[in-house]
Amino acid sequence: MSDDATDRSNSGPGNFVDDLVRDDLARGLGRTLMTRFPPEPNGYLHLGHAKSICLNFGLAQRHGGVCNLRFDDTNPTTEEVEFVESIQADVRWLGFGWFKGPYYASDYFEQLYAWAEQLVVEGRAYVDSQDLEAIRAGRGDFHRPGVESPFRDRTVEENLDLFRRMRAGEFADGAHVLRAKIDMQSRDLNLRDPLLYRIRHAAHHRTGTKWCIYPMYDWAHGQSDAIEGITHSICTLEFQNHRGLYEWCFDALHFDPRPKQIEFGRLNLSYTVLSKRRLQELVAGGHVAGWDDPRMPTLAGVRRRGFTPEALRAFCDRIGVSKRDGVADVSLLEHAVREDLNARCPRVMTVLRPLKVIVENLPEGETVHFDAPLHPEHPAMGTRTLSFSRELFIEQDDFMEDPPKKFFRLAPGREVRLRYACLLTCVGVDKDPSTGEITALRCTWDPQSKGGDAPDGRKVKSTLHWVSAAHAVDVEARLYDRLFKVENPMDVPEGGSWKDHLNPSSLTVLRAKAEAHVATAGEGARFQFERLGYFAVDPDSKPGALVFNRTIGLSDAWAKIVAAGKAG
Ligand code: ATP
Ligand code: MG
C-alpha cells in the first residue's frame, strides 16, 4: 500500500508521445525536458486527469526531466482553495511529486499584462468595445469569413489608455475586451482576433481584488508554459485547433526556445461521465454525497472506495495514449483494480444479510477454534483464528427451504461445508408463527470434520462463509452499483437529460456481521470478504462502528471478455 512518490514502475513507455519526446531528446533539447500538468482548480480531479498525470509525470520520470503542477487559475468565479488543495493531495496520492512549486498562472498576471501592453504598443492588440454577442457574431464560422470590429483601427495611444483604464477598474464587466489583431479572414477561427483579456470584477482565490481584468486561457496558457521553460506541452485533442494561436503568441513575443504542443486523445469510460462541470452538477444536485462519494469517478471518490494508486497507474499503462478519442471499457479498469486487490488483500468472512444458525450438538458457552490463512497464496501474511460456537450466521440466500434442482447450498436435510471449519447439516427450521418467516436454522456439525473435510471422504458440493454470532462484530456495509444505468450516459434522447440515466439503486446499505479479525482495522484498510468482494474501511467509521465500502465484487467481466477472445 505504498503512497511513495518515488514508485515509478507504471508510467507507460512506448506511446507516441513518448516516441516524440525520445526523438527530441536524441536530437538534443539543449535544456531539461519539462512537462506540466495544468488543472483548472474548479473541481476535483477525475479518472481522465489520472491519464494526463501518468503521462506527464511519467515522461519526466522516464527521461530525467521535470513535471510541473501548475494551476490554470485564470477564472476567479469558479475556482476555490478547496480544489487547489484536493488536486495536490490527489496527484501525490497517485504517486507523483514535484520538485518546485506548485505553480500558478496567477503568479504570472503581472508579466502577462506587461506582454499584453507590448502587443498593444506594437499594434498587435486592440481594445474592442462591442459586446460579447457582437464579437461572437463578427467572428463568422467555417463557411463565413469574419467581420472586422468597428473598433479595430483605434490608435495605439487610445488602445493603451483604454487597456490601462480597464486594469484600473474604470469599466464594468463586459464594457471592453482586449483582442489580438491577427486576421478576421483566417481559416483558423482561433486566429480571428481572439480575446486576450476580459473585465471581471471578482475576487480571485489568490490575488484577491488586485485584478479586475483576467487573461483568457489562450493568452495565459502558452505564456505560462514559456515562463516555466516547458519543453513539451501535452494536452488533449480539443486544443489541436488552438495550436495556431499558441504559436502566434510565441512569434509575437519572440520566444526562443519555445514549448512544443502535442495533443492526445482524452480518456472516456463507459458507464461514466468525466467532466468536472458535470460532476459538479451531481454534487450540487445532491445526486451523490460529495466529490468523494465512492460512486464518483473522482480520484477522491475511488480512493475512498478502496482503489489503489497502483491499480490506477496499471490501468493508465494498459489503455495507452493515442491520437484519437476513444471510450475505454469500465470493466478494464475494474479488472486492474481486482488484480491489484487480489494480490494484497487479506481474506476474512463477513455475512451481509445474516440468517441465524443454531448448532444443536454444540453446547452453549463452548467454543471451537480453527486456524485459517489470511491469504491462500501468500502464507507469509499469516493466519487468524476463527471461533466456532453454538450460534452462527450465514447468508440468507445460502439457504432455501424448498430448493430448485441447481441449488447446491444449504437446505433441510442437506450437508454443506463451512469455510475453514467443518461440515454442517440442516436438521430443521424455526419460523415466526405469525408471519411464517424463517427465524433460525437448526443444524448439527460433524466434529470429525474439523477443518472442513470428513475422514470418510464424503463429498459436499458447497462451501459457505459464516461467522460466530458471539464473536462477530456489527459493521455497516455499503454496496455500490454503477452510477449510470447505460453505457453512454451522454447519449440523451430529445428533451432528456444525461441525469435521467442515473442508477437509482447505486447504493445499498446493510447491517452486516463481520469476523472479529476486522474489529481493529483502521481507515483505508482493505480486505477480501470471501465470496463477496473487496471492501475498504470508510472514514465514516468510528471505534466499534466500522463502515465498509465495497470496492468491487469478485466477478471479473473483463477476464471473461478476454477469455472469450473479444478484447483487442
Ligand atoms: P473537465 O472537462 O473535466 O473540466 P478539463 O480538461 O477542463 O476537464 P483541466 O483542469 O483543464 O480540465 O485539465 C487539466 C489537464 O487534464 C488538461 O491538460 C486536460 O487536457 C487533462 N484532462 C482532462 N480531462 C481529461 C481526460 N478525460 N483524459 C485525459 N486528460 C484529461
Ligand atoms: Mg476545463
Side-chain angles (χ1 to χ4, degrees), residues 47 268-274 279 282 295-297 327-334 481-490 501-503 557:
L47 295 167
N268 298 296
L269 267 183
S270 60
Y271 295 97
T272 310
V273 301
L274 292 182
L279 298 177
L282 293 180
R295 293 167 292 181
M296 288 281 271
V327 183
D329 193 324
V330 72
S331 63
L332 181 58
L333 170 63
E334 293 164 351
D481 196 353
R482 287 181 177 147
L483 191 51
F484 292 94
K485 293 175 290 188
V486 297
E487 221 172 297
N488 178 8
M490 296 320 295
H501 294 312
L502 279 165
N503 175 2

PDB file of all heavy atoms in Angstrom, residues 47 268-274 279 282 295-297 327-334 481-490 501-503 557:
ATOM      1  N   LEU A  47     -10.838  10.487 -13.196  1.00  0.00           N
ATOM      2  CA  LEU A  47     -10.003   9.435 -13.783  1.00  0.00           C
ATOM      3  C   LEU A  47      -9.341   9.891 -15.084  1.00  0.00           C
ATOM      4  O   LEU A  47      -8.254   9.426 -15.420  1.00  0.00           O
ATOM      5  CB  LEU A  47     -10.855   8.180 -14.020  1.00  0.00           C
ATOM      6  CG  LEU A  47     -11.378   7.534 -12.730  1.00  0.00           C
ATOM      7  CD1 LEU A  47     -12.467   6.504 -13.034  1.00  0.00           C
ATOM      8  CD2 LEU A  47     -10.221   6.862 -11.971  1.00  0.00           C
ATOM      9  N   ASN A 268     -12.232   8.499 -22.034  1.00  0.00           N
ATOM     10  CA  ASN A 268     -13.650   8.387 -21.723  1.00  0.00           C
ATOM     11  C   ASN A 268     -13.866   6.967 -21.235  1.00  0.00           C
ATOM     12  O   ASN A 268     -13.179   6.045 -21.669  1.00  0.00           O
ATOM     13  CB  ASN A 268     -14.496   8.629 -22.979  1.00  0.00           C
ATOM     14  CG  ASN A 268     -14.283  10.034 -23.516  1.00  0.00           C
ATOM     15  OD1 ASN A 268     -14.599  11.010 -22.864  1.00  0.00           O
ATOM     16  ND2 ASN A 268     -13.717  10.128 -24.707  1.00  0.00           N
ATOM     17  N   LEU A 269     -14.815   6.790 -20.337  1.00  0.00           N
ATOM     18  CA  LEU A 269     -15.069   5.468 -19.769  1.00  0.00           C
ATOM     19  C   LEU A 269     -16.546   5.136 -19.920  1.00  0.00           C
ATOM     20  O   LEU A 269     -17.400   6.006 -19.676  1.00  0.00           O
ATOM     21  CB  LEU A 269     -14.781   5.487 -18.276  1.00  0.00           C
ATOM     22  CG  LEU A 269     -13.424   5.093 -17.746  1.00  0.00           C
ATOM     23  CD1 LEU A 269     -13.455   5.128 -16.233  1.00  0.00           C
ATOM     24  CD2 LEU A 269     -13.024   3.696 -18.227  1.00  0.00           C
ATOM     25  N   SER A 270     -16.838   3.902 -20.266  1.00  0.00           N
ATOM     26  CA  SER A 270     -18.241   3.509 -20.355  1.00  0.00           C
ATOM     27  C   SER A 270     -18.901   3.603 -18.975  1.00  0.00           C
ATOM     28  O   SER A 270     -18.227   3.482 -17.941  1.00  0.00           O
ATOM     29  CB  SER A 270     -18.367   2.090 -20.935  1.00  0.00           C
ATOM     30  OG  SER A 270     -17.693   1.163 -20.123  1.00  0.00           O
ATOM     31  N   TYR A 271     -20.178   3.865 -18.942  1.00  0.00           N
ATOM     32  CA  TYR A 271     -20.979   3.975 -17.706  1.00  0.00           C
ATOM     33  C   TYR A 271     -20.528   5.117 -16.790  1.00  0.00           C
ATOM     34  O   TYR A 271     -20.806   5.096 -15.591  1.00  0.00           O
ATOM     35  CB  TYR A 271     -20.972   2.658 -16.911  1.00  0.00           C
ATOM     36  CG  TYR A 271     -21.638   1.529 -17.632  1.00  0.00           C
ATOM     37  CD1 TYR A 271     -20.884   0.621 -18.362  1.00  0.00           C
ATOM     38  CD2 TYR A 271     -23.031   1.381 -17.609  1.00  0.00           C
ATOM     39  CE1 TYR A 271     -21.496  -0.421 -19.052  1.00  0.00           C
ATOM     40  CE2 TYR A 271     -23.651   0.354 -18.298  1.00  0.00           C
ATOM     41  CZ  TYR A 271     -22.877  -0.545 -19.011  1.00  0.00           C
ATOM     42  OH  TYR A 271     -23.493  -1.567 -19.692  1.00  0.00           O
ATOM     43  N   THR A 272     -19.793   6.079 -17.363  1.00  0.00           N
ATOM     44  CA  THR A 272     -19.163   7.103 -16.519  1.00  0.00           C
ATOM     45  C   THR A 272     -19.205   8.451 -17.232  1.00  0.00           C
ATOM     46  O   THR A 272     -19.130   8.484 -18.454  1.00  0.00           O
ATOM     47  CB  THR A 272     -17.674   6.714 -16.301  1.00  0.00           C
ATOM     48  OG1 THR A 272     -17.611   5.362 -15.881  1.00  0.00           O
ATOM     49  CG2 THR A 272     -17.012   7.584 -15.250  1.00  0.00           C
ATOM     50  N   VAL A 273     -19.334   9.538 -16.486  1.00  0.00           N
ATOM     51  CA  VAL A 273     -19.077  10.849 -17.093  1.00  0.00           C
ATOM     52  C   VAL A 273     -17.794  11.405 -16.484  1.00  0.00           C
ATOM     53  O   VAL A 273     -17.564  11.311 -15.289  1.00  0.00           O
ATOM     54  CB  VAL A 273     -20.229  11.867 -16.908  1.00  0.00           C
ATOM     55  CG1 VAL A 273     -21.523  11.363 -17.509  1.00  0.00           C
ATOM     56  CG2 VAL A 273     -20.435  12.238 -15.469  1.00  0.00           C
ATOM     57  N   LEU A 274     -16.939  11.932 -17.355  1.00  0.00           N
ATOM     58  CA  LEU A 274     -15.672  12.507 -16.902  1.00  0.00           C
ATOM     59  C   LEU A 274     -15.642  13.963 -17.348  1.00  0.00           C
ATOM     60  O   LEU A 274     -15.170  14.283 -18.424  1.00  0.00           O
ATOM     61  CB  LEU A 274     -14.485  11.747 -17.512  1.00  0.00           C
ATOM     62  CG  LEU A 274     -14.281  10.316 -17.040  1.00  0.00           C
ATOM     63  CD1 LEU A 274     -13.044   9.711 -17.692  1.00  0.00           C
ATOM     64  CD2 LEU A 274     -14.163  10.242 -15.531  1.00  0.00           C
ATOM     65  N   LEU A 279     -19.672  16.609 -13.039  1.00  0.00           N
ATOM     66  CA  LEU A 279     -19.513  16.041 -11.698  1.00  0.00           C
ATOM     67  C   LEU A 279     -19.955  17.068 -10.656  1.00  0.00           C
ATOM     68  O   LEU A 279     -20.585  16.729  -9.653  1.00  0.00           O
ATOM     69  CB  LEU A 279     -18.064  15.599 -11.480  1.00  0.00           C
ATOM     70  CG  LEU A 279     -17.592  14.490 -12.449  1.00  0.00           C
ATOM     71  CD1 LEU A 279     -16.121  14.155 -12.226  1.00  0.00           C
ATOM     72  CD2 LEU A 279     -18.446  13.231 -12.309  1.00  0.00           C
ATOM     73  N   LEU A 282     -23.572  16.889 -10.268  1.00  0.00           N
ATOM     74  CA  LEU A 282     -24.018  15.766  -9.433  1.00  0.00           C
ATOM     75  C   LEU A 282     -23.899  16.109  -7.955  1.00  0.00           C
ATOM     76  O   LEU A 282     -24.766  15.772  -7.146  1.00  0.00           O
ATOM     77  CB  LEU A 282     -23.200  14.506  -9.734  1.00  0.00           C
ATOM     78  CG  LEU A 282     -23.379  13.892 -11.119  1.00  0.00           C
ATOM     79  CD1 LEU A 282     -22.498  12.654 -11.271  1.00  0.00           C
ATOM     80  CD2 LEU A 282     -24.844  13.524 -11.364  1.00  0.00           C
ATOM     81  N   ARG A 295     -19.032   6.501  -5.286  1.00  0.00           N
ATOM     82  CA  ARG A 295     -19.557   6.211  -6.624  1.00  0.00           C
ATOM     83  C   ARG A 295     -19.020   7.164  -7.673  1.00  0.00           C
ATOM     84  O   ARG A 295     -19.218   6.972  -8.866  1.00  0.00           O
ATOM     85  CB  ARG A 295     -21.097   6.309  -6.625  1.00  0.00           C
ATOM     86  CG  ARG A 295     -21.747   5.231  -5.801  1.00  0.00           C
ATOM     87  CD  ARG A 295     -23.201   5.551  -5.564  1.00  0.00           C
ATOM     88  NE  ARG A 295     -23.340   6.711  -4.681  1.00  0.00           N
ATOM     89  CZ  ARG A 295     -24.508   7.209  -4.282  1.00  0.00           C
ATOM     90  NH1 ARG A 295     -25.636   6.646  -4.682  1.00  0.00           N
ATOM     91  NH2 ARG A 295     -24.548   8.245  -3.478  1.00  0.00           N
ATOM     92  N   MET A 296     -18.363   8.225  -7.219  1.00  0.00           N
ATOM     93  CA  MET A 296     -17.876   9.247  -8.157  1.00  0.00           C
ATOM     94  C   MET A 296     -16.590   8.787  -8.841  1.00  0.00           C
ATOM     95  O   MET A 296     -15.751   8.138  -8.214  1.00  0.00           O
ATOM     96  CB  MET A 296     -17.608  10.547  -7.397  1.00  0.00           C
ATOM     97  CG  MET A 296     -18.870  11.258  -6.964  1.00  0.00           C
ATOM     98  SD  MET A 296     -19.613  12.170  -8.330  1.00  0.00           S
ATOM     99  CE  MET A 296     -18.755  13.744  -8.140  1.00  0.00           C
ATOM    100  N   PRO A 297     -16.404   9.151 -10.126  1.00  0.00           N
ATOM    101  CA  PRO A 297     -15.165   8.785 -10.819  1.00  0.00           C
ATOM    102  C   PRO A 297     -14.044   9.766 -10.530  1.00  0.00           C
ATOM    103  O   PRO A 297     -13.115   9.900 -11.321  1.00  0.00           O
ATOM    104  CB  PRO A 297     -15.581   8.841 -12.294  1.00  0.00           C
ATOM    105  CG  PRO A 297     -16.603   9.921 -12.334  1.00  0.00           C
ATOM    106  CD  PRO A 297     -17.361   9.842 -11.027  1.00  0.00           C
ATOM    107  N   VAL A 327     -13.404   5.363 -26.132  1.00  0.00           N
ATOM    108  CA  VAL A 327     -14.101   5.047 -24.893  1.00  0.00           C
ATOM    109  C   VAL A 327     -13.515   3.747 -24.364  1.00  0.00           C
ATOM    110  O   VAL A 327     -13.568   2.720 -25.035  1.00  0.00           O
ATOM    111  CB  VAL A 327     -15.612   4.872 -25.120  1.00  0.00           C
ATOM    112  CG1 VAL A 327     -16.314   4.617 -23.792  1.00  0.00           C
ATOM    113  CG2 VAL A 327     -16.200   6.087 -25.811  1.00  0.00           C
ATOM    114  N   ALA A 328     -12.921   3.791 -23.184  1.00  0.00           N
ATOM    115  CA  ALA A 328     -12.394   2.572 -22.580  1.00  0.00           C
ATOM    116  C   ALA A 328     -13.530   1.870 -21.837  1.00  0.00           C
ATOM    117  O   ALA A 328     -14.418   2.519 -21.279  1.00  0.00           O
ATOM    118  CB  ALA A 328     -11.248   2.910 -21.636  1.00  0.00           C
ATOM    119  N   ASP A 329     -13.492   0.546 -21.856  1.00  0.00           N
ATOM    120  CA  ASP A 329     -14.498  -0.250 -21.171  1.00  0.00           C
ATOM    121  C   ASP A 329     -14.218  -0.178 -19.668  1.00  0.00           C
ATOM    122  O   ASP A 329     -13.114  -0.468 -19.226  1.00  0.00           O
ATOM    123  CB  ASP A 329     -14.379  -1.695 -21.677  1.00  0.00           C
ATOM    124  CG  ASP A 329     -15.567  -2.533 -21.268  1.00  0.00           C
ATOM    125  OD1 ASP A 329     -16.082  -2.328 -20.141  1.00  0.00           O
ATOM    126  OD2 ASP A 329     -15.974  -3.390 -22.071  1.00  0.00           O
ATOM    127  N   VAL A 330     -15.236   0.200 -18.894  1.00  0.00           N
ATOM    128  CA  VAL A 330     -15.022   0.353 -17.455  1.00  0.00           C
ATOM    129  C   VAL A 330     -14.602  -0.983 -16.823  1.00  0.00           C
ATOM    130  O   VAL A 330     -13.912  -1.017 -15.807  1.00  0.00           O
ATOM    131  CB  VAL A 330     -16.270   0.961 -16.764  1.00  0.00           C
ATOM    132  CG1 VAL A 330     -17.406  -0.040 -16.689  1.00  0.00           C
ATOM    133  CG2 VAL A 330     -15.931   1.496 -15.383  1.00  0.00           C
ATOM    134  N   SER A 331     -14.949  -2.096 -17.478  1.00  0.00           N
ATOM    135  CA  SER A 331     -14.552  -3.386 -16.894  1.00  0.00           C
ATOM    136  C   SER A 331     -13.036  -3.596 -16.976  1.00  0.00           C
ATOM    137  O   SER A 331     -12.467  -4.374 -16.216  1.00  0.00           O
ATOM    138  CB  SER A 331     -15.317  -4.552 -17.530  1.00  0.00           C
ATOM    139  OG  SER A 331     -15.032  -4.658 -18.886  1.00  0.00           O
ATOM    140  N   LEU A 332     -12.369  -2.877 -17.868  1.00  0.00           N
ATOM    141  CA  LEU A 332     -10.902  -2.941 -17.909  1.00  0.00           C
ATOM    142  C   LEU A 332     -10.304  -2.276 -16.663  1.00  0.00           C
ATOM    143  O   LEU A 332      -9.344  -2.770 -16.060  1.00  0.00           O
ATOM    144  CB  LEU A 332     -10.397  -2.255 -19.182  1.00  0.00           C
ATOM    145  CG  LEU A 332      -8.885  -2.227 -19.418  1.00  0.00           C
ATOM    146  CD1 LEU A 332      -8.293  -3.624 -19.455  1.00  0.00           C
ATOM    147  CD2 LEU A 332      -8.574  -1.490 -20.711  1.00  0.00           C
ATOM    148  N   LEU A 333     -10.920  -1.165 -16.259  1.00  0.00           N
ATOM    149  CA  LEU A 333     -10.499  -0.503 -15.012  1.00  0.00           C
ATOM    150  C   LEU A 333     -10.771  -1.428 -13.824  1.00  0.00           C
ATOM    151  O   LEU A 333      -9.917  -1.623 -12.951  1.00  0.00           O
ATOM    152  CB  LEU A 333     -11.260   0.815 -14.852  1.00  0.00           C
ATOM    153  CG  LEU A 333     -11.127   1.514 -13.502  1.00  0.00           C
ATOM    154  CD1 LEU A 333      -9.686   1.934 -13.236  1.00  0.00           C
ATOM    155  CD2 LEU A 333     -12.050   2.738 -13.433  1.00  0.00           C
ATOM    156  N   GLU A 334     -11.966  -2.015 -13.811  1.00  0.00           N
ATOM    157  CA  GLU A 334     -12.334  -2.893 -12.697  1.00  0.00           C
ATOM    158  C   GLU A 334     -11.390  -4.095 -12.619  1.00  0.00           C
ATOM    159  O   GLU A 334     -11.032  -4.550 -11.528  1.00  0.00           O
ATOM    160  CB  GLU A 334     -13.796  -3.343 -12.857  1.00  0.00           C
ATOM    161  CG  GLU A 334     -14.763  -2.171 -12.700  1.00  0.00           C
ATOM    162  CD  GLU A 334     -16.185  -2.459 -13.212  1.00  0.00           C
ATOM    163  OE1 GLU A 334     -16.409  -3.505 -13.852  1.00  0.00           O
ATOM    164  OE2 GLU A 334     -17.058  -1.608 -12.982  1.00  0.00           O
ATOM    165  N   ASP A 481     -23.344   0.108  -6.892  1.00  0.00           N
ATOM    166  CA  ASP A 481     -23.520  -0.330  -8.272  1.00  0.00           C
ATOM    167  C   ASP A 481     -23.083   0.843  -9.139  1.00  0.00           C
ATOM    168  O   ASP A 481     -22.806   1.933  -8.634  1.00  0.00           O
ATOM    169  CB  ASP A 481     -24.991  -0.689  -8.507  1.00  0.00           C
ATOM    170  CG  ASP A 481     -25.183  -1.516  -9.769  1.00  0.00           C
ATOM    171  OD1 ASP A 481     -24.200  -1.696 -10.523  1.00  0.00           O
ATOM    172  OD2 ASP A 481     -26.317  -1.961  -9.998  1.00  0.00           O
ATOM    173  N   ARG A 482     -23.036   0.652 -10.452  1.00  0.00           N
ATOM    174  CA  ARG A 482     -22.639   1.747 -11.334  1.00  0.00           C
ATOM    175  C   ARG A 482     -23.552   2.945 -11.133  1.00  0.00           C
ATOM    176  O   ARG A 482     -24.752   2.781 -10.909  1.00  0.00           O
ATOM    177  CB  ARG A 482     -22.706   1.285 -12.783  1.00  0.00           C
ATOM    178  CG  ARG A 482     -21.549   0.357 -13.052  1.00  0.00           C
ATOM    179  CD  ARG A 482     -21.524  -0.141 -14.464  1.00  0.00           C
ATOM    180  NE  ARG A 482     -20.329  -0.961 -14.600  1.00  0.00           N
ATOM    181  CZ  ARG A 482     -20.222  -2.026 -15.367  1.00  0.00           C
ATOM    182  NH1 ARG A 482     -21.258  -2.407 -16.104  1.00  0.00           N
ATOM    183  NH2 ARG A 482     -19.104  -2.698 -15.415  1.00  0.00           N
ATOM    184  N   LEU A 483     -22.967   4.125 -11.230  1.00  0.00           N
ATOM    185  CA  LEU A 483     -23.726   5.350 -11.022  1.00  0.00           C
ATOM    186  C   LEU A 483     -24.714   5.586 -12.163  1.00  0.00           C
ATOM    187  O   LEU A 483     -25.771   6.190 -11.966  1.00  0.00           O
ATOM    188  CB  LEU A 483     -22.750   6.525 -10.901  1.00  0.00           C
ATOM    189  CG  LEU A 483     -23.252   7.870 -10.426  1.00  0.00           C
ATOM    190  CD1 LEU A 483     -24.050   7.749  -9.132  1.00  0.00           C
ATOM    191  CD2 LEU A 483     -22.065   8.810 -10.222  1.00  0.00           C
ATOM    192  N   PHE A 484     -24.372   5.085 -13.361  1.00  0.00           N
ATOM    193  CA  PHE A 484     -25.271   5.242 -14.515  1.00  0.00           C
ATOM    194  C   PHE A 484     -25.725   3.886 -15.024  1.00  0.00           C
ATOM    195  O   PHE A 484     -24.971   2.919 -14.978  1.00  0.00           O
ATOM    196  CB  PHE A 484     -24.566   6.017 -15.636  1.00  0.00           C
ATOM    197  CG  PHE A 484     -24.315   7.455 -15.272  1.00  0.00           C
ATOM    198  CD1 PHE A 484     -23.102   7.835 -14.709  1.00  0.00           C
ATOM    199  CD2 PHE A 484     -25.299   8.414 -15.447  1.00  0.00           C
ATOM    200  CE1 PHE A 484     -22.877   9.146 -14.344  1.00  0.00           C
ATOM    201  CE2 PHE A 484     -25.083   9.738 -15.086  1.00  0.00           C
ATOM    202  CZ  PHE A 484     -23.870  10.102 -14.527  1.00  0.00           C
ATOM    203  N   LYS A 485     -26.962   3.876 -15.519  1.00  0.00           N
ATOM    204  CA  LYS A 485     -27.541   2.612 -15.969  1.00  0.00           C
ATOM    205  C   LYS A 485     -27.097   2.250 -17.373  1.00  0.00           C
ATOM    206  O   LYS A 485     -27.262   1.120 -17.804  1.00  0.00           O
ATOM    207  CB  LYS A 485     -29.082   2.727 -15.992  1.00  0.00           C
ATOM    208  CG  LYS A 485     -29.717   2.866 -14.627  1.00  0.00           C
ATOM    209  CD  LYS A 485     -31.224   3.103 -14.759  1.00  0.00           C
ATOM    210  CE  LYS A 485     -31.511   4.482 -15.326  1.00  0.00           C
ATOM    211  NZ  LYS A 485     -32.922   4.860 -15.323  1.00  0.00           N
ATOM    212  N   VAL A 486     -26.621   3.226 -18.130  1.00  0.00           N
ATOM    213  CA  VAL A 486     -26.326   2.984 -19.538  1.00  0.00           C
ATOM    214  C   VAL A 486     -24.849   3.209 -19.842  1.00  0.00           C
ATOM    215  O   VAL A 486     -24.151   3.935 -19.130  1.00  0.00           O
ATOM    216  CB  VAL A 486     -27.171   3.902 -20.453  1.00  0.00           C
ATOM    217  CG1 VAL A 486     -28.657   3.605 -20.287  1.00  0.00           C
ATOM    218  CG2 VAL A 486     -26.875   5.364 -20.157  1.00  0.00           C
ATOM    219  N   GLU A 487     -24.418   2.566 -20.948  1.00  0.00           N
ATOM    220  CA  GLU A 487     -23.018   2.616 -21.309  1.00  0.00           C
ATOM    221  C   GLU A 487     -22.555   4.040 -21.628  1.00  0.00           C
ATOM    222  O   GLU A 487     -21.479   4.450 -21.231  1.00  0.00           O
ATOM    223  CB  GLU A 487     -22.813   1.725 -22.539  1.00  0.00           C
ATOM    224  CG  GLU A 487     -21.555   0.921 -22.455  1.00  0.00           C
ATOM    225  CD  GLU A 487     -21.482  -0.090 -23.577  1.00  0.00           C
ATOM    226  OE1 GLU A 487     -22.359  -0.979 -23.620  1.00  0.00           O
ATOM    227  OE2 GLU A 487     -20.552   0.024 -24.398  1.00  0.00           O
ATOM    228  N   ASN A 488     -23.376   4.767 -22.342  1.00  0.00           N
ATOM    229  CA  ASN A 488     -23.001   6.135 -22.698  1.00  0.00           C
ATOM    230  C   ASN A 488     -24.015   7.118 -22.131  1.00  0.00           C
ATOM    231  O   ASN A 488     -25.010   7.445 -22.776  1.00  0.00           O
ATOM    232  CB  ASN A 488     -22.911   6.286 -24.214  1.00  0.00           C
ATOM    233  CG  ASN A 488     -22.570   7.718 -24.607  1.00  0.00           C
ATOM    234  OD1 ASN A 488     -22.258   8.553 -23.740  1.00  0.00           O
ATOM    235  ND2 ASN A 488     -22.640   8.002 -25.887  1.00  0.00           N
ATOM    236  N   PRO A 489     -23.788   7.604 -20.921  1.00  0.00           N
ATOM    237  CA  PRO A 489     -24.764   8.486 -20.275  1.00  0.00           C
ATOM    238  C   PRO A 489     -25.021   9.772 -21.062  1.00  0.00           C
ATOM    239  O   PRO A 489     -26.056  10.407 -20.889  1.00  0.00           O
ATOM    240  CB  PRO A 489     -24.124   8.816 -18.921  1.00  0.00           C
ATOM    241  CG  PRO A 489     -23.083   7.775 -18.711  1.00  0.00           C
ATOM    242  CD  PRO A 489     -22.616   7.353 -20.066  1.00  0.00           C
ATOM    243  N   MET A 490     -24.088  10.152 -21.937  1.00  0.00           N
ATOM    244  CA  MET A 490     -24.265  11.403 -22.665  1.00  0.00           C
ATOM    245  C   MET A 490     -25.145  11.221 -23.901  1.00  0.00           C
ATOM    246  O   MET A 490     -25.451  12.178 -24.594  1.00  0.00           O
ATOM    247  CB  MET A 490     -22.913  11.993 -23.071  1.00  0.00           C
ATOM    248  CG  MET A 490     -22.046  12.397 -21.889  1.00  0.00           C
ATOM    249  SD  MET A 490     -22.952  13.169 -20.526  1.00  0.00           S
ATOM    250  CE  MET A 490     -23.500  14.660 -21.340  1.00  0.00           C
ATOM    251  N   HIS A 501     -30.216   9.129 -16.714  1.00  0.00           N
ATOM    252  CA  HIS A 501     -29.580   7.804 -16.765  1.00  0.00           C
ATOM    253  C   HIS A 501     -28.973   7.382 -15.429  1.00  0.00           C
ATOM    254  O   HIS A 501     -28.360   6.317 -15.339  1.00  0.00           O
ATOM    255  CB  HIS A 501     -28.483   7.781 -17.828  1.00  0.00           C
ATOM    256  CG  HIS A 501     -28.993   7.926 -19.233  1.00  0.00           C
ATOM    257  ND1 HIS A 501     -30.047   7.196 -19.720  1.00  0.00           N
ATOM    258  CD2 HIS A 501     -28.576   8.718 -20.253  1.00  0.00           C
ATOM    259  CE1 HIS A 501     -30.254   7.529 -20.985  1.00  0.00           C
ATOM    260  NE2 HIS A 501     -29.391   8.449 -21.331  1.00  0.00           N
ATOM    261  N   LEU A 502     -29.098   8.244 -14.414  1.00  0.00           N
ATOM    262  CA  LEU A 502     -28.553   7.863 -13.102  1.00  0.00           C
ATOM    263  C   LEU A 502     -29.243   6.601 -12.599  1.00  0.00           C
ATOM    264  O   LEU A 502     -30.457   6.429 -12.755  1.00  0.00           O
ATOM    265  CB  LEU A 502     -28.754   9.005 -12.099  1.00  0.00           C
ATOM    266  CG  LEU A 502     -27.738  10.144 -12.175  1.00  0.00           C
ATOM    267  CD1 LEU A 502     -28.231  11.361 -11.408  1.00  0.00           C
ATOM    268  CD2 LEU A 502     -26.372   9.689 -11.650  1.00  0.00           C
ATOM    269  N   ASN A 503     -28.469   5.738 -12.006  1.00  0.00           N
ATOM    270  CA  ASN A 503     -28.988   4.473 -11.475  1.00  0.00           C
ATOM    271  C   ASN A 503     -29.583   4.741 -10.082  1.00  0.00           C
ATOM    272  O   ASN A 503     -28.849   5.089  -9.169  1.00  0.00           O
ATOM    273  CB  ASN A 503     -27.818   3.487 -11.403  1.00  0.00           C
ATOM    274  CG  ASN A 503     -28.191   2.169 -10.760  1.00  0.00           C
ATOM    275  OD1 ASN A 503     -29.348   1.956 -10.389  1.00  0.00           O
ATOM    276  ND2 ASN A 503     -27.217   1.293 -10.623  1.00  0.00           N
ATOM    277  N   ALA A 557     -15.706  -9.186 -15.274  1.00  0.00           N
ATOM    278  CA  ALA A 557     -16.264  -9.146 -16.633  1.00  0.00           C
ATOM    279  C   ALA A 557     -15.160  -9.063 -17.684  1.00  0.00           C
ATOM    280  O   ALA A 557     -15.247  -9.677 -18.740  1.00  0.00           O
ATOM    281  CB  ALA A 557     -17.202  -7.948 -16.775  1.00  0.00           C
TER     282      ALA A 557
END
